[in-house]
Amino acid sequence: MSNSHEEMWEKLNLDLEAHAGLLQVLGKFYGDIYMSQQGRLRGMEYLDFVLSEVHGLRIKELQDAKAAGKKIVGTFCVFVPEEIVLAAGGIQVGLCAGAEIGKGEAEKVLPRNTCALIKSFVGFKLSRLCPFIESCDLIVGETTCDGKKKAYEIFSDYSPVYVMEIPQMKNNSDRKLWRSEILRFKDQVEETTGNKITAERLREAIHLVNERRRVLQRLNSLRASVPAPISGRDALLINQISFYDDPVRFTAKIGELCDELDDRIKSGGSVAPKGTTRLMLSGCPMAVPNWKLPYIIESSGAVIVGEESCIGTRNTRDLVDEGARTLDGMLDALVDRYMQIDCACFTPNTERLGNIVKMAKDLKVKGVIHYALSFCQPYSIEAYKVEKALTGAGIPMLAIETDYGMEDVEQLKTRVEAFVEMTR
Ligand code: BJ8
């Protein structure tokens, strides 16, 4: 990680010493987990560069955009419709919550038995370690799980937070609620940016975000090839970076990477030897730099070929219908698309079960590893139903609960190795 943007970080009021330590640890972690891989695609150099400059050049771009009058909106959940922010001339960034570096500070204000993702974003803020959080003009929370919902009340003491109400069911009344929440969000974004959203601007924004989803859908479908043409770690990194990078540039670069993948598949190339066990991940999102479990899996004789998660197919599977011509029609299309998200915060959440089984079959996996963060009730409870659906379809599942700490790595490795062996 580059360390050459100190003046900018100082202006953002980061704790420079702690931040330098974070970059050093991340650089080492990335080197061990990513740069040690064999047979990576040339196109991954772009992702390596973006990650190496994620706190540097990308933040500089955001600061330049702010100086030119643009507003930055930070989010923690794929329910927040980026199309609205883009249509108002803003920039949306996903705020990463995949490291435990601020855990000590977070535990001063949150119970210890809170999921690692929540502790991570609160910890980043309280420890002044995240230049993305500090660049935001507005941070959007949501009422998904109870932990997040209540943590935003604390977070709002330190940052400008706006909370969207997410329905918990999918009846007509829930759709109505969600439509009114999208309208309320539109008003807020117009106020923050000072720009009115027109039908023309929203149409362009819908197309832009759909294009990014399409290129990630293409990547996912290429991963159905046997043998696997790209590692799960690299595919996860691509999905993670999709939340930070400029959407036009990212879509173009991943398009080029998919062309390279296509060539590799046609020439019979692969990233793992023929016969390597194909597995799929399912469950909680894995935010940067949460690469622990993928690394364990891919060093245990398996390759990950899909992620059923918000940093994965839950964020890319559904497109917004582009047929509407009026602003109202486009808002309806947004409402319908976002209501299809199958987060475990919904009850019942049967669509997710069908989606997981279909994905596992399409990707020809030998098994699924269900990943829940410790203390995440929605996903750890839903694991029971997921396992039932998968075993009913003849696909074995291993349920794992963990956090961002490294203490359980050996224990997890033993369980994953046994599962891989069993699927053979
Ligand atoms: S749409 S998955 S991004 S809420 S892991 S904080 S659920 S206790 S992340 Fe999520 Fe939106 Fe749903 Fe996706 Fe709570 Fe569970 Fe923690 Fe979680």
Side-chain angles (χ1 to χ4, degrees), residues 179 186 197-204 206 320-334:
R179 194 178 199 284
K186 175 177 161 289
I197 293 174
T198 61
E200 184 58 19
R201 295 295 306 272
L202 187 56
R203 192 182 58 77
E204 286 167 10
I206 288 175
V320 179
D321 186 85
E322 292 187 46
R325 289 289 162 262
T326 62
L327 188 58
D328 252 8
M330 289 175 210
L331 289 167
D332 272 324
L334 280 179

Side-chain angles (χ1 to χ4, degrees), residues 76-79 115 118 144-145 148 284-285 310 343 373 376 379:
F76 296 105
C77 176
V78 298
F79 258 103
C115 101
I118 298 172
T144 43
C145 66
K148 269 180 158 182
C284 289
C310 284
C343 173
L373 278 168
C376 171
Y379 281 92

